[in-house]
Amino acid sequence: MQTIQFGGLFHLRAGYCIKLALLLTSALPFVYLYLYKSFHKEQHRGISFGDQGPSSTKPNDTKEIIVPPPAGPLLTMFTTWPANDREHTVRNNTLKNWAKLKPHVRPVFFSCNMKEANDIIQHGWEVLPVSKTAALGVPVLKYMFLDAIRRFKSNFYAYSNGDILFDEGLINTLRTVVSAYFPPTNPILITGQRTNVQNVTAAEATKMERLSTIAKQRGKLFITLAEDYFITDSTFPWGKIPGIVIGRPAYDNWLVLNSCKHDHTVIDATATILAAHQTTKVGNYEGTTRRSTNFNFGLLYGLYRTVKYTAGSTSCAPLVSNRNETGIYISRRTRFSRSCYHFYRLFGNRTKLDSVPASKNK
């Protein structure tokens, strides 16, 4: 048998070379399988959080956590707050209150801080990383919705401020919306006024009946221009919404105004959804005291110039929810406040609730 010399270092017979080549070739599939499993194990190990706040995140941070949507509850509701927020009582009340709404509501918290995320998970919440920020680190609303819709499956998706508490009226109202008929081509937007309640305790926040009682006893309905939660279905065109940020003025009224303009199904659920705002010494206009308070105004002015924000109040929603002796029902609004006149002169009241007659109740 012929001998082959390699650089004068050692000798190998040609037959041995052939056998070695065959051995290496047969081992390649096993090596590939090992590397493949190792790579995907790293990819699906969990959500990766940075040590910094939301301002350090990038738009591509969510790519590794997108999985096929599981079967879900009635509503996926999410919020966030700064990692250095000192209102611990308020935040703990919210964590416990939203957890009480399970399994009908899936509570989700957006954060990029590992320590904070672990604490949130202990309260029975899901956690997602913030994928897009603006205005010195404030989450952009549209990406919160898009990330939640991609990650979870439910009938509705909602953003709410982190100091808002809900009772079972939220669940019952959404059940009514599901059972009613709305034009399938019209995306749904549900919002409402909040009720300001001073000094809510942990016991009051976690007992739904008690929460409703104290809201009636010492709560006060806030102005129609203040909208602290937004509930939409998955067809809502979040991809086309500008990059407005949460917790700053203007985004809420513009969102309602724009939805009415595009003939979406816009419902004012003030009468059936209790949104109890935990009022502290900071007061009821906290959004106007934060950094970059005019970010949304500047963004929307650059896109639309003049915006009639008063026409985006809850009182301008074409549909309303109410209660009677048989339960919750939804009807067309028969009277509009003076602030809505400008909007309806321009666009008209086109949104309709098909097959449901206008309410005769006063």
Side-chain angles (χ1 to χ4, degrees):
M1 183 177 293
Q2 182 181 2
T3 300
I4 302 175
Q5 183 173 349
F6 289 85
L9 295 179
F10 53 87
H11 299 276
L12 288 176
R13 293 184 179 274
Y16 292 157
C17 292
I18 296 173
K19 290 181 180 180
L20 180 60
L22 292 175
L23 179 62
L24 292 174
T25 303
S26 62
L28 283 176
F30 298 98
V31 174
Y32 173 81
L33 183 61
Y34 173 81
L35 293 176
Y36 178 87
K37 288 184 177 180
S38 298
F39 174 78
H40 283 271
K41 183 178 181 181
E42 291 296 323
Q43 292 291 315
H44 297 285
R45 191 169 285 175
I47 299 176
S48 176
F49 294 89
D51 295 329
Q52 306 298 321
S55 59
S56 66
T57 60
K58 299 178 181 179
N60 293 331
D61 287 347
T62 58
K63 285 187 176 180
E64 293 183 359
I65 64 170
I66 300 301
V67 298
L74 184 64
L75 171 68
T76 296
M77 186 163 62
F78 49 87
T79 191
T80 190
W81 50 71
N84 60 351
D85 196 297
R86 297 181 180 180
E87 296 290 346
H88 299 298
T89 300
V90 171
R91 305 316 180 198
N92 286 335
N93 285 348
T94 300
L95 291 173
K96 294 175 182 178
N97 173 264
W98 290 24
K100 285 286 185 179
L101 298 170
K102 297 172 65 176
H104 308 290
V105 176
R106 176 193 287 112
V108 178
F109 188 81
F110 278 83
S111 175
C112 286
N113 182 284
M114 175 61 83
K115 181 179 179 181
E116 182 181 46
N118 287 334
D119 179 63
I120 299 294
I121 292 172
Q122 294 300 317
H123 283 84
W125 287 43
E126 303 278 356
V127 177
L128 287 179
V130 179
S131 63
K132 183 71 173 180
T133 64
L136 302 177
V138 184
V140 177
L141 180 65
K142 63 184 289 185
Y143 291 103
M144 299 176 78
F145 270 95
L146 292 172
D147 291 343
I149 292 171
R150 291 175 63 195
R151 178 63 179 85
F152 302 111
K153 183 178 180 181
S154 57
N155 295 86
F156 300 98
Y157 300 86
Y159 166 77
S160 171
N161 286 343
D163 51 9
I164 301 297
L165 308 176
F166 297 92
D167 65 1
E168 292 182 351
L170 172 65
I171 300 170
N172 295 332
T173 300
L174 294 183
R175 284 174 173 167
T176 301
V177 175
V178 170
S179 62
Y181 175 76
F182 295 97
T185 56
N186 292 5
I188 296 174
L189 174 68
I190 305 170
T191 188
Q193 294 171 253
R194 77 189 195 207
T195 299
N196 295 326
V197 185
Q198 294 275 357
N199 305 319
V200 180
T201 66
E204 293 169 338
T206 54
K207 296 180 180 179
M208 299 301 173
E209 292 183 1
R210 180 61 179 155
L211 181 63
S212 302
T213 300
I214 66 168
K216 294 176 182 178
Q217 291 177 343
R218 62 176 195 265
K220 185 177 181 180
L221 200 63
F222 202 38
I223 58 178
T224 60
L225 278 171
E227 294 140 338
D228 286 52
Y229 68 91
F230 297 94
I231 306 170
T232 73
D233 59 358
S234 60
T235 68
F236 193 88
W238 284 110
K240 298 179 180 180
I241 299 298
I244 47 182
V245 299
I246 64 172
R248 303 297 184 272
Y251 86 93
D252 49 355
N253 305 129
W254 179 88
L255 192 60
V256 173
L257 175 62
N258 184 70
S259 297
C260 291
K261 176 182 176 181
H262 287 87
D263 205 22
H264 297 341
T265 299
V266 183
I267 304 173
D268 173 10
T270 302
T272 59
I273 296 180
L274 170 62
H277 174 251
Q278 303 174 77
T279 303
T280 65
K281 61 182 179 180
V282 178
N284 293 312
Y285 295 91
E286 188 174 359
T288 61
T289 63
R290 294 170 174 167
R291 295 185 304 170
S292 305
T293 185
N294 292 321
F295 176 84
N296 290 329
F297 283 116
L299 174 66
L300 295 172
Y301 177 80
L303 293 172
Y304 308 104
R305 297 304 177 188
T306 302
V307 178
K308 297 295 183 180
Y309 291 103
T310 55
S313 65
T314 56
S315 58
C316 295
L319 305 174
V320 293
S321 64
N322 275 299
R323 285 189 177 92
N324 59 19
E325 61 278 2
T326 61
I328 295 174
Y329 65 95
I330 299 171
S331 61
R332 291 189 293 272
R333 190 187 294 277
T334 56
R335 286 188 174 184
F336 292 89
S337 66
R338 188 177 300 274
S339 62
C340 308
Y341 290 166
H342 180 272
F343 168 77
Y344 287 107
R345 279 202 303 267
L346 289 178
F347 305 110
N349 181 12
R350 295 176 296 156
T351 303
K352 298 178 180 179
L353 179 62
D354 293 352
S355 73
V356 179
S359 171
K360 296 181 181 179
N361 295 13
K362 296 183 180 179

